[in-house]
Amino acid sequence: MPLSEHEQRMLEQMERALYAEDPKFATALEGSGLRTYTRRRVYQAIAGFLVGIALLMAGMVAQWIWISVVGFLVMLGCAVLVVTGWRKAPRPGSGPQRGAGPLGSGGLAARRQMRQRRSMMDRIEQRWQRRRDEQGR
């Protein structure tokens, strides 16, 4: 649900006040985003996949089947994490990031996108009102 104009103005005032009071904290909020989190998660899963390969090979060399099975399961789990993490990662410039929100670089684009959605919703609501008025006559 898009914000009203009053709510957007209030949000912008709060942003400006936050920057004025504590610019260091506001800058820290800009850097933490969903994209950074998913990228880190994908890298961890890739490292886990490599550990799984090492376990699989070690199990084969030592002829301990259970170590090979554990290595295979680790590889499988990490591969699933890589694929799901890669799909969930937002594309660059594809809307607001969770951590950045209106404070980050995606804030202007997010507001523009909200205005476009709002204008579309306004048009839909106007059409709906016209139809209700025409049927009510």
PDB file of all heavy atoms in Angstrom, residues 63-103:
ATOM      1  N   GLN A  63      38.318 -44.552   2.512  1.00  0.00           N
ATOM      2  CA  GLN A  63      37.362 -45.649   2.331  1.00  0.00           C
ATOM      3  C   GLN A  63      36.362 -45.721   3.489  1.00  0.00           C
ATOM      4  O   GLN A  63      36.015 -46.806   3.962  1.00  0.00           O
ATOM      5  CB  GLN A  63      38.089 -46.977   2.131  1.00  0.00           C
ATOM      6  CG  GLN A  63      38.878 -47.014   0.847  1.00  0.00           C
ATOM      7  CD  GLN A  63      39.539 -48.349   0.600  1.00  0.00           C
ATOM      8  OE1 GLN A  63      39.541 -49.231   1.443  1.00  0.00           O
ATOM      9  NE2 GLN A  63      40.109 -48.497  -0.577  1.00  0.00           N
ATOM     10  N   TRP A  64      35.942 -44.564   3.942  1.00  0.00           N
ATOM     11  CA  TRP A  64      34.874 -44.469   4.927  1.00  0.00           C
ATOM     12  C   TRP A  64      33.662 -43.897   4.205  1.00  0.00           C
ATOM     13  O   TRP A  64      33.586 -42.708   3.910  1.00  0.00           O
ATOM     14  CB  TRP A  64      35.254 -43.562   6.090  1.00  0.00           C
ATOM     15  CG  TRP A  64      36.313 -44.117   6.995  1.00  0.00           C
ATOM     16  CD1 TRP A  64      36.662 -45.420   7.145  1.00  0.00           C
ATOM     17  CD2 TRP A  64      37.149 -43.378   7.867  1.00  0.00           C
ATOM     18  NE1 TRP A  64      37.659 -45.555   8.049  1.00  0.00           N
ATOM     19  CE2 TRP A  64      37.983 -44.302   8.520  1.00  0.00           C
ATOM     20  CE3 TRP A  64      37.277 -42.042   8.168  1.00  0.00           C
ATOM     21  CZ2 TRP A  64      38.932 -43.923   9.454  1.00  0.00           C
ATOM     22  CZ3 TRP A  64      38.218 -41.677   9.104  1.00  0.00           C
ATOM     23  CH2 TRP A  64      39.032 -42.612   9.741  1.00  0.00           C
ATOM     24  N   ILE A  65      32.733 -44.755   3.928  1.00  0.00           N
ATOM     25  CA  ILE A  65      31.573 -44.369   3.129  1.00  0.00           C
ATOM     26  C   ILE A  65      30.759 -43.275   3.820  1.00  0.00           C
ATOM     27  O   ILE A  65      30.259 -42.368   3.164  1.00  0.00           O
ATOM     28  CB  ILE A  65      30.675 -45.614   2.880  1.00  0.00           C
ATOM     29  CG1 ILE A  65      31.474 -46.708   2.239  1.00  0.00           C
ATOM     30  CG2 ILE A  65      29.431 -45.231   2.125  1.00  0.00           C
ATOM     31  CD1 ILE A  65      31.349 -46.873   0.778  1.00  0.00           C
ATOM     32  N   TRP A  66      30.639 -43.356   5.139  1.00  0.00           N
ATOM     33  CA  TRP A  66      29.794 -42.391   5.847  1.00  0.00           C
ATOM     34  C   TRP A  66      30.318 -40.960   5.702  1.00  0.00           C
ATOM     35  O   TRP A  66      29.554 -40.008   5.644  1.00  0.00           O
ATOM     36  CB  TRP A  66      29.595 -42.781   7.315  1.00  0.00           C
ATOM     37  CG  TRP A  66      30.849 -42.753   8.142  1.00  0.00           C
ATOM     38  CD1 TRP A  66      31.762 -43.744   8.281  1.00  0.00           C
ATOM     39  CD2 TRP A  66      31.320 -41.660   8.914  1.00  0.00           C
ATOM     40  NE1 TRP A  66      32.785 -43.353   9.097  1.00  0.00           N
ATOM     41  CE2 TRP A  66      32.529 -42.060   9.521  1.00  0.00           C
ATOM     42  CE3 TRP A  66      30.848 -40.385   9.180  1.00  0.00           C
ATOM     43  CZ2 TRP A  66      33.269 -41.230  10.345  1.00  0.00           C
ATOM     44  CZ3 TRP A  66      31.588 -39.569  10.011  1.00  0.00           C
ATOM     45  CH2 TRP A  66      32.783 -39.997  10.595  1.00  0.00           C
ATOM     46  N   ILE A  67      31.647 -40.781   5.610  1.00  0.00           N
ATOM     47  CA  ILE A  67      32.203 -39.433   5.400  1.00  0.00           C
ATOM     48  C   ILE A  67      31.865 -38.936   3.993  1.00  0.00           C
ATOM     49  O   ILE A  67      31.523 -37.768   3.801  1.00  0.00           O
ATOM     50  CB  ILE A  67      33.733 -39.428   5.639  1.00  0.00           C
ATOM     51  CG1 ILE A  67      34.027 -39.657   7.112  1.00  0.00           C
ATOM     52  CG2 ILE A  67      34.340 -38.099   5.178  1.00  0.00           C
ATOM     53  CD1 ILE A  67      35.496 -39.677   7.449  1.00  0.00           C
ATOM     54  N   SER A  68      31.917 -39.862   3.034  1.00  0.00           N
ATOM     55  CA  SER A  68      31.551 -39.490   1.663  1.00  0.00           C
ATOM     56  C   SER A  68      30.084 -39.100   1.578  1.00  0.00           C
ATOM     57  O   SER A  68      29.720 -38.143   0.887  1.00  0.00           O
ATOM     58  CB  SER A  68      31.833 -40.641   0.706  1.00  0.00           C
ATOM     59  OG  SER A  68      33.209 -40.913   0.648  1.00  0.00           O
ATOM     60  N   VAL A  69      29.225 -39.834   2.288  1.00  0.00           N
ATOM     61  CA  VAL A  69      27.791 -39.523   2.273  1.00  0.00           C
ATOM     62  C   VAL A  69      27.549 -38.158   2.916  1.00  0.00           C
ATOM     63  O   VAL A  69      26.780 -37.339   2.400  1.00  0.00           O
ATOM     64  CB  VAL A  69      26.987 -40.639   2.988  1.00  0.00           C
ATOM     65  CG1 VAL A  69      25.544 -40.222   3.193  1.00  0.00           C
ATOM     66  CG2 VAL A  69      27.055 -41.928   2.201  1.00  0.00           C
ATOM     67  N   VAL A  70      28.218 -37.884   4.031  1.00  0.00           N
ATOM     68  CA  VAL A  70      28.087 -36.578   4.682  1.00  0.00           C
ATOM     69  C   VAL A  70      28.577 -35.476   3.735  1.00  0.00           C
ATOM     70  O   VAL A  70      27.942 -34.423   3.604  1.00  0.00           O
ATOM     71  CB  VAL A  70      28.862 -36.552   6.021  1.00  0.00           C
ATOM     72  CG1 VAL A  70      28.978 -35.139   6.571  1.00  0.00           C
ATOM     73  CG2 VAL A  70      28.193 -37.461   7.032  1.00  0.00           C
ATOM     74  N   GLY A  71      29.685 -35.695   3.066  1.00  0.00           N
ATOM     75  CA  GLY A  71      30.198 -34.721   2.111  1.00  0.00           C
ATOM     76  C   GLY A  71      29.219 -34.459   0.986  1.00  0.00           C
ATOM     77  O   GLY A  71      29.004 -33.308   0.590  1.00  0.00           O
ATOM     78  N   PHE A  72      28.593 -35.542   0.493  1.00  0.00           N
ATOM     79  CA  PHE A  72      27.608 -35.381  -0.577  1.00  0.00           C
ATOM     80  C   PHE A  72      26.406 -34.582  -0.080  1.00  0.00           C
ATOM     81  O   PHE A  72      25.906 -33.697  -0.778  1.00  0.00           O
ATOM     82  CB  PHE A  72      27.159 -36.745  -1.106  1.00  0.00           C
ATOM     83  CG  PHE A  72      26.070 -36.631  -2.132  1.00  0.00           C
ATOM     84  CD1 PHE A  72      26.366 -36.232  -3.429  1.00  0.00           C
ATOM     85  CD2 PHE A  72      24.758 -36.914  -1.800  1.00  0.00           C
ATOM     86  CE1 PHE A  72      25.364 -36.116  -4.372  1.00  0.00           C
ATOM     87  CE2 PHE A  72      23.753 -36.809  -2.738  1.00  0.00           C
ATOM     88  CZ  PHE A  72      24.055 -36.406  -4.025  1.00  0.00           C
ATOM     89  N   LEU A  73      25.926 -34.871   1.134  1.00  0.00           N
ATOM     90  CA  LEU A  73      24.781 -34.147   1.682  1.00  0.00           C
ATOM     91  C   LEU A  73      25.104 -32.668   1.915  1.00  0.00           C
ATOM     92  O   LEU A  73      24.273 -31.786   1.670  1.00  0.00           O
ATOM     93  CB  LEU A  73      24.308 -34.806   2.979  1.00  0.00           C
ATOM     94  CG  LEU A  73      23.679 -36.193   2.822  1.00  0.00           C
ATOM     95  CD1 LEU A  73      23.351 -36.793   4.181  1.00  0.00           C
ATOM     96  CD2 LEU A  73      22.445 -36.143   1.936  1.00  0.00           C
ATOM     97  N   VAL A  74      26.328 -32.399   2.362  1.00  0.00           N
ATOM     98  CA  VAL A  74      26.754 -31.010   2.532  1.00  0.00           C
ATOM     99  C   VAL A  74      26.775 -30.305   1.177  1.00  0.00           C
ATOM    100  O   VAL A  74      26.297 -29.171   1.040  1.00  0.00           O
ATOM    101  CB  VAL A  74      28.143 -30.938   3.219  1.00  0.00           C
ATOM    102  CG1 VAL A  74      28.738 -29.540   3.142  1.00  0.00           C
ATOM    103  CG2 VAL A  74      28.034 -31.392   4.669  1.00  0.00           C
ATOM    104  N   MET A  75      27.303 -30.979   0.169  1.00  0.00           N
ATOM    105  CA  MET A  75      27.330 -30.403  -1.178  1.00  0.00           C
ATOM    106  C   MET A  75      25.915 -30.125  -1.676  1.00  0.00           C
ATOM    107  O   MET A  75      25.639 -29.060  -2.237  1.00  0.00           O
ATOM    108  CB  MET A  75      28.031 -31.348  -2.157  1.00  0.00           C
ATOM    109  CG  MET A  75      29.516 -31.430  -1.999  1.00  0.00           C
ATOM    110  SD  MET A  75      30.258 -32.744  -2.993  1.00  0.00           S
ATOM    111  CE  MET A  75      29.595 -32.442  -4.593  1.00  0.00           C
ATOM    112  N   LEU A  76      25.007 -31.075  -1.477  1.00  0.00           N
ATOM    113  CA  LEU A  76      23.631 -30.927  -1.943  1.00  0.00           C
ATOM    114  C   LEU A  76      22.947 -29.753  -1.238  1.00  0.00           C
ATOM    115  O   LEU A  76      22.316 -28.914  -1.886  1.00  0.00           O
ATOM    116  CB  LEU A  76      22.858 -32.224  -1.695  1.00  0.00           C
ATOM    117  CG  LEU A  76      21.417 -32.260  -2.192  1.00  0.00           C
ATOM    118  CD1 LEU A  76      21.382 -32.159  -3.705  1.00  0.00           C
ATOM    119  CD2 LEU A  76      20.744 -33.536  -1.723  1.00  0.00           C
ATOM    120  N   GLY A  77      23.089 -29.701   0.091  1.00  0.00           N
ATOM    121  CA  GLY A  77      22.480 -28.598   0.840  1.00  0.00           C
ATOM    122  C   GLY A  77      23.021 -27.247   0.436  1.00  0.00           C
ATOM    123  O   GLY A  77      22.266 -26.276   0.274  1.00  0.00           O
ATOM    124  N   CYS A  78      24.311 -27.161   0.243  1.00  0.00           N
ATOM    125  CA  CYS A  78      24.915 -25.885  -0.152  1.00  0.00           C
ATOM    126  C   CYS A  78      24.526 -25.493  -1.575  1.00  0.00           C
ATOM    127  O   CYS A  78      24.335 -24.308  -1.864  1.00  0.00           O
ATOM    128  CB  CYS A  78      26.430 -25.948  -0.005  1.00  0.00           C
ATOM    129  SG  CYS A  78      26.946 -25.983   1.722  1.00  0.00           S
ATOM    130  N   ALA A  79      24.396 -26.481  -2.446  1.00  0.00           N
ATOM    131  CA  ALA A  79      23.957 -26.179  -3.814  1.00  0.00           C
ATOM    132  C   ALA A  79      22.543 -25.607  -3.798  1.00  0.00           C
ATOM    133  O   ALA A  79      22.239 -24.649  -4.522  1.00  0.00           O
ATOM    134  CB  ALA A  79      24.018 -27.433  -4.678  1.00  0.00           C
ATOM    135  N   VAL A  80      21.681 -26.162  -2.960  1.00  0.00           N
ATOM    136  CA  VAL A  80      20.324 -25.625  -2.841  1.00  0.00           C
ATOM    137  C   VAL A  80      20.365 -24.198  -2.313  1.00  0.00           C
ATOM    138  O   VAL A  80      19.651 -23.317  -2.806  1.00  0.00           O
ATOM    139  CB  VAL A  80      19.458 -26.535  -1.935  1.00  0.00           C
ATOM    140  CG1 VAL A  80      18.149 -25.870  -1.563  1.00  0.00           C
ATOM    141  CG2 VAL A  80      19.195 -27.874  -2.616  1.00  0.00           C
ATOM    142  N   LEU A  81      21.202 -23.943  -1.306  1.00  0.00           N
ATOM    143  CA  LEU A  81      21.328 -22.584  -0.768  1.00  0.00           C
ATOM    144  C   LEU A  81      21.837 -21.598  -1.816  1.00  0.00           C
ATOM    145  O   LEU A  81      21.378 -20.453  -1.871  1.00  0.00           O
ATOM    146  CB  LEU A  81      22.251 -22.573   0.436  1.00  0.00           C
ATOM    147  CG  LEU A  81      21.682 -23.134   1.734  1.00  0.00           C
ATOM    148  CD1 LEU A  81      22.755 -23.159   2.817  1.00  0.00           C
ATOM    149  CD2 LEU A  81      20.496 -22.334   2.192  1.00  0.00           C
ATOM    150  N   VAL A  82      22.785 -22.021  -2.639  1.00  0.00           N
ATOM    151  CA  VAL A  82      23.313 -21.144  -3.685  1.00  0.00           C
ATOM    152  C   VAL A  82      22.218 -20.788  -4.680  1.00  0.00           C
ATOM    153  O   VAL A  82      22.027 -19.627  -5.029  1.00  0.00           O
ATOM    154  CB  VAL A  82      24.521 -21.788  -4.407  1.00  0.00           C
ATOM    155  CG1 VAL A  82      24.864 -21.034  -5.680  1.00  0.00           C
ATOM    156  CG2 VAL A  82      25.722 -21.821  -3.493  1.00  0.00           C
ATOM    157  N   VAL A  83      21.485 -21.804  -5.124  1.00  0.00           N
ATOM    158  CA  VAL A  83      20.454 -21.559  -6.132  1.00  0.00           C
ATOM    159  C   VAL A  83      19.348 -20.677  -5.567  1.00  0.00           C
ATOM    160  O   VAL A  83      18.920 -19.716  -6.211  1.00  0.00           O
ATOM    161  CB  VAL A  83      19.889 -22.895  -6.667  1.00  0.00           C
ATOM    162  CG1 VAL A  83      18.671 -22.665  -7.532  1.00  0.00           C
ATOM    163  CG2 VAL A  83      20.959 -23.626  -7.457  1.00  0.00           C
ATOM    164  N   THR A  84      18.856 -20.968  -4.367  1.00  0.00           N
ATOM    165  CA  THR A  84      17.781 -20.150  -3.804  1.00  0.00           C
ATOM    166  C   THR A  84      18.280 -18.753  -3.455  1.00  0.00           C
ATOM    167  O   THR A  84      17.550 -17.778  -3.641  1.00  0.00           O
ATOM    168  CB  THR A  84      17.170 -20.812  -2.550  1.00  0.00           C
ATOM    169  OG1 THR A  84      18.187 -21.027  -1.580  1.00  0.00           O
ATOM    170  CG2 THR A  84      16.492 -22.110  -2.896  1.00  0.00           C
ATOM    171  N   GLY A  85      19.504 -18.635  -2.950  1.00  0.00           N
ATOM    172  CA  GLY A  85      20.048 -17.317  -2.637  1.00  0.00           C
ATOM    173  C   GLY A  85      20.256 -16.490  -3.882  1.00  0.00           C
ATOM    174  O   GLY A  85      20.026 -15.279  -3.888  1.00  0.00           O
ATOM    175  N   TRP A  86      20.675 -17.101  -4.947  1.00  0.00           N
ATOM    176  CA  TRP A  86      20.908 -16.389  -6.201  1.00  0.00           C
ATOM    177  C   TRP A  86      19.605 -15.874  -6.777  1.00  0.00           C
ATOM    178  O   TRP A  86      19.526 -14.784  -7.304  1.00  0.00           O
ATOM    179  CB  TRP A  86      21.588 -17.331  -7.194  1.00  0.00           C
ATOM    180  CG  TRP A  86      22.269 -16.604  -8.297  1.00  0.00           C
ATOM    181  CD1 TRP A  86      21.778 -16.353  -9.526  1.00  0.00           C
ATOM    182  CD2 TRP A  86      23.567 -16.006  -8.262  1.00  0.00           C
ATOM    183  NE1 TRP A  86      22.682 -15.658 -10.264  1.00  0.00           N
ATOM    184  CE2 TRP A  86      23.788 -15.436  -9.515  1.00  0.00           C
ATOM    185  CE3 TRP A  86      24.545 -15.922  -7.291  1.00  0.00           C
ATOM    186  CZ2 TRP A  86      24.967 -14.767  -9.817  1.00  0.00           C
ATOM    187  CZ3 TRP A  86      25.714 -15.261  -7.609  1.00  0.00           C
ATOM    188  CH2 TRP A  86      25.910 -14.705  -8.851  1.00  0.00           C
ATOM    189  N   ARG A  87      18.538 -16.680  -6.666  1.00  0.00           N
ATOM    190  CA  ARG A  87      17.232 -16.261  -7.183  1.00  0.00           C
ATOM    191  C   ARG A  87      16.624 -15.146  -6.353  1.00  0.00           C
ATOM    192  O   ARG A  87      15.909 -14.310  -6.868  1.00  0.00           O
ATOM    193  CB  ARG A  87      16.270 -17.445  -7.213  1.00  0.00           C
ATOM    194  CG  ARG A  87      16.580 -18.419  -8.296  1.00  0.00           C
ATOM    195  CD  ARG A  87      15.562 -19.516  -8.338  1.00  0.00           C
ATOM    196  NE  ARG A  87      15.923 -20.495  -9.349  1.00  0.00           N
ATOM    197  CZ  ARG A  87      15.389 -21.685  -9.436  1.00  0.00           C
ATOM    198  NH1 ARG A  87      14.472 -22.061  -8.574  1.00  0.00           N
ATOM    199  NH2 ARG A  87      15.762 -22.519 -10.378  1.00  0.00           N
ATOM    200  N   LYS A  88      16.861 -15.151  -5.034  1.00  0.00           N
ATOM    201  CA  LYS A  88      16.266 -14.150  -4.154  1.00  0.00           C
ATOM    202  C   LYS A  88      17.003 -12.827  -4.195  1.00  0.00           C
ATOM    203  O   LYS A  88      16.463 -11.814  -3.781  1.00  0.00           O
ATOM    204  CB  LYS A  88      16.251 -14.653  -2.709  1.00  0.00           C
ATOM    205  CG  LYS A  88      15.239 -15.732  -2.463  1.00  0.00           C
ATOM    206  CD  LYS A  88      15.269 -16.150  -1.019  1.00  0.00           C
ATOM    207  CE  LYS A  88      14.331 -17.310  -0.772  1.00  0.00           C
ATOM    208  NZ  LYS A  88      14.405 -17.748   0.633  1.00  0.00           N
ATOM    209  N   ALA A  89      18.231 -12.832  -4.685  1.00  0.00           N
ATOM    210  CA  ALA A  89      19.022 -11.599  -4.703  1.00  0.00           C
ATOM    211  C   ALA A  89      18.384 -10.600  -5.660  1.00  0.00           C
ATOM    212  O   ALA A  89      18.120 -10.916  -6.814  1.00  0.00           O
ATOM    213  CB  ALA A  89      20.454 -11.897  -5.140  1.00  0.00           C
ATOM    214  N   PRO A  90      18.114  -9.380  -5.185  1.00  0.00           N
ATOM    215  CA  PRO A  90      17.512  -8.380  -6.069  1.00  0.00           C
ATOM    216  C   PRO A  90      18.511  -7.921  -7.126  1.00  0.00           C
ATOM    217  O   PRO A  90      19.705  -7.869  -6.892  1.00  0.00           O
ATOM    218  CB  PRO A  90      17.150  -7.245  -5.119  1.00  0.00           C
ATOM    219  CG  PRO A  90      18.014  -7.426  -3.934  1.00  0.00           C
ATOM    220  CD  PRO A  90      18.316  -8.889  -3.839  1.00  0.00           C
ATOM    221  N   ARG A  91      18.000  -7.589  -8.272  1.00  0.00           N
ATOM    222  CA  ARG A  91      18.836  -7.078  -9.357  1.00  0.00           C
ATOM    223  C   ARG A  91      19.228  -5.630  -9.036  1.00  0.00           C
ATOM    224  O   ARG A  91      18.476  -4.908  -8.395  1.00  0.00           O
ATOM    225  CB  ARG A  91      18.075  -7.110 -10.681  1.00  0.00           C
ATOM    226  CG  ARG A  91      17.564  -8.486 -11.034  1.00  0.00           C
ATOM    227  CD  ARG A  91      18.694  -9.351 -11.566  1.00  0.00           C
ATOM    228  NE  ARG A  91      18.189 -10.652 -11.939  1.00  0.00           N
ATOM    229  CZ  ARG A  91      18.432 -11.770 -11.289  1.00  0.00           C
ATOM    230  NH1 ARG A  91      19.185 -11.748 -10.217  1.00  0.00           N
ATOM    231  NH2 ARG A  91      17.956 -12.923 -11.697  1.00  0.00           N
ATOM    232  N   PRO A  92      20.370  -5.196  -9.521  1.00  0.00           N
ATOM    233  CA  PRO A  92      20.752  -3.801  -9.291  1.00  0.00           C
ATOM    234  C   PRO A  92      19.744  -2.854  -9.935  1.00  0.00           C
ATOM    235  O   PRO A  92      19.377  -3.022 -11.085  1.00  0.00           O
ATOM    236  CB  PRO A  92      22.114  -3.673  -9.984  1.00  0.00           C
ATOM    237  CG  PRO A  92      22.615  -5.063 -10.141  1.00  0.00           C
ATOM    238  CD  PRO A  92      21.406  -5.950 -10.205  1.00  0.00           C
ATOM    239  N   GLY A  93      19.262  -1.893  -9.137  1.00  0.00           N
ATOM    240  CA  GLY A  93      18.306  -0.911  -9.640  1.00  0.00           C
ATOM    241  C   GLY A  93      16.895  -1.430  -9.779  1.00  0.00           C
ATOM    242  O   GLY A  93      16.094  -0.839 -10.474  1.00  0.00           O
ATOM    243  N   SER A  94      16.563  -2.547  -9.115  1.00  0.00           N
ATOM    244  CA  SER A  94      15.220  -3.107  -9.253  1.00  0.00           C
ATOM    245  C   SER A  94      14.346  -2.776  -8.061  1.00  0.00           C
ATOM    246  O   SER A  94      13.636  -3.608  -7.563  1.00  0.00           O
ATOM    247  CB  SER A  94      15.301  -4.615  -9.428  1.00  0.00           C
ATOM    248  OG  SER A  94      15.764  -5.215  -8.233  1.00  0.00           O
ATOM    249  N   GLY A  95      14.406  -1.573  -7.569  1.00  0.00           N
ATOM    250  CA  GLY A  95      13.533  -1.190  -6.470  1.00  0.00           C
ATOM    251  C   GLY A  95      14.308  -1.038  -5.175  1.00  0.00           C
ATOM    252  O   GLY A  95      15.522  -1.184  -5.127  1.00  0.00           O
ATOM    253  N   PRO A  96      13.581  -0.752  -4.107  1.00  0.00           N
ATOM    254  CA  PRO A  96      14.245  -0.479  -2.840  1.00  0.00           C
ATOM    255  C   PRO A  96      14.791  -1.735  -2.208  1.00  0.00           C
ATOM    256  O   PRO A  96      14.268  -2.812  -2.366  1.00  0.00           O
ATOM    257  CB  PRO A  96      13.121   0.114  -1.975  1.00  0.00           C
ATOM    258  CG  PRO A  96      11.869  -0.437  -2.546  1.00  0.00           C
ATOM    259  CD  PRO A  96      12.145  -0.617  -4.016  1.00  0.00           C
ATOM    260  N   GLN A  97      15.879  -1.553  -1.470  1.00  0.00           N
ATOM    261  CA  GLN A  97      16.453  -2.641  -0.697  1.00  0.00           C
ATOM    262  C   GLN A  97      15.927  -2.538   0.712  1.00  0.00           C
ATOM    263  O   GLN A  97      15.595  -1.460   1.181  1.00  0.00           O
ATOM    264  CB  GLN A  97      17.973  -2.544  -0.693  1.00  0.00           C
ATOM    265  CG  GLN A  97      18.565  -2.692  -2.070  1.00  0.00           C
ATOM    266  CD  GLN A  97      20.062  -2.504  -2.030  1.00  0.00           C
ATOM    267  OE1 GLN A  97      20.632  -2.168  -1.008  1.00  0.00           O
ATOM    268  NE2 GLN A  97      20.704  -2.723  -3.147  1.00  0.00           N
ATOM    269  N   ARG A  98      15.887  -3.648   1.393  1.00  0.00           N
ATOM    270  CA  ARG A  98      15.302  -3.664   2.732  1.00  0.00           C
ATOM    271  C   ARG A  98      16.050  -2.743   3.665  1.00  0.00           C
ATOM    272  O   ARG A  98      15.477  -1.931   4.342  1.00  0.00           O
ATOM    273  CB  ARG A  98      15.312  -5.086   3.280  1.00  0.00           C
ATOM    274  CG  ARG A  98      14.711  -5.151   4.652  1.00  0.00           C
ATOM    275  CD  ARG A  98      14.626  -6.545   5.154  1.00  0.00           C
ATOM    276  NE  ARG A  98      15.732  -7.362   4.720  1.00  0.00           N
ATOM    277  CZ  ARG A  98      16.344  -8.238   5.460  1.00  0.00           C
ATOM    278  NH1 ARG A  98      16.003  -8.412   6.690  1.00  0.00           N
ATOM    279  NH2 ARG A  98      17.315  -8.978   4.988  1.00  0.00           N
ATOM    280  N   GLY A  99      17.360  -2.861   3.740  1.00  0.00           N
ATOM    281  CA  GLY A  99      18.113  -2.063   4.696  1.00  0.00           C
ATOM    282  C   GLY A  99      18.248  -0.619   4.269  1.00  0.00           C
ATOM    283  O   GLY A  99      18.314   0.269   5.081  1.00  0.00           O
ATOM    284  N   ALA A 100      18.310  -0.380   2.988  1.00  0.00           N
ATOM    285  CA  ALA A 100      18.523   0.979   2.531  1.00  0.00           C
ATOM    286  C   ALA A 100      17.260   1.801   2.610  1.00  0.00           C
ATOM    287  O   ALA A 100      17.262   2.910   3.091  1.00  0.00           O
ATOM    288  CB  ALA A 100      19.052   0.963   1.096  1.00  0.00           C
ATOM    289  N   GLY A 101      16.149   1.274   2.154  1.00  0.00           N
ATOM    290  CA  GLY A 101      14.869   1.956   2.229  1.00  0.00           C
ATOM    291  C   GLY A 101      14.954   3.347   1.660  1.00  0.00           C
ATOM    292  O   GLY A 101      15.633   3.605   0.684  1.00  0.00           O
ATOM    293  N   PRO A 102      14.265   4.275   2.277  1.00  0.00           N
ATOM    294  CA  PRO A 102      14.263   5.623   1.752  1.00  0.00           C
ATOM    295  C   PRO A 102      15.565   6.356   2.017  1.00  0.00           C
ATOM    296  O   PRO A 102      15.811   7.372   1.424  1.00  0.00           O
ATOM    297  CB  PRO A 102      13.105   6.297   2.496  1.00  0.00           C
ATOM    298  CG  PRO A 102      12.841   5.463   3.682  1.00  0.00           C
ATOM    299  CD  PRO A 102      13.350   4.092   3.374  1.00  0.00           C
ATOM    300  N   LEU A 103      16.407   5.830   2.898  1.00  0.00           N
ATOM    301  CA  LEU A 103      17.666   6.510   3.178  1.00  0.00           C
ATOM    302  C   LEU A 103      18.730   6.222   2.137  1.00  0.00           C
ATOM    303  O   LEU A 103      19.640   6.999   1.951  1.00  0.00           O
ATOM    304  CB  LEU A 103      18.202   6.089   4.555  1.00  0.00           C
ATOM    305  CG  LEU A 103      17.394   6.536   5.759  1.00  0.00           C
ATOM    306  CD1 LEU A 103      17.965   5.912   7.011  1.00  0.00           C
ATOM    307  CD2 LEU A 103      17.390   8.038   5.866  1.00  0.00           C
TER     308      LEU A 103
END
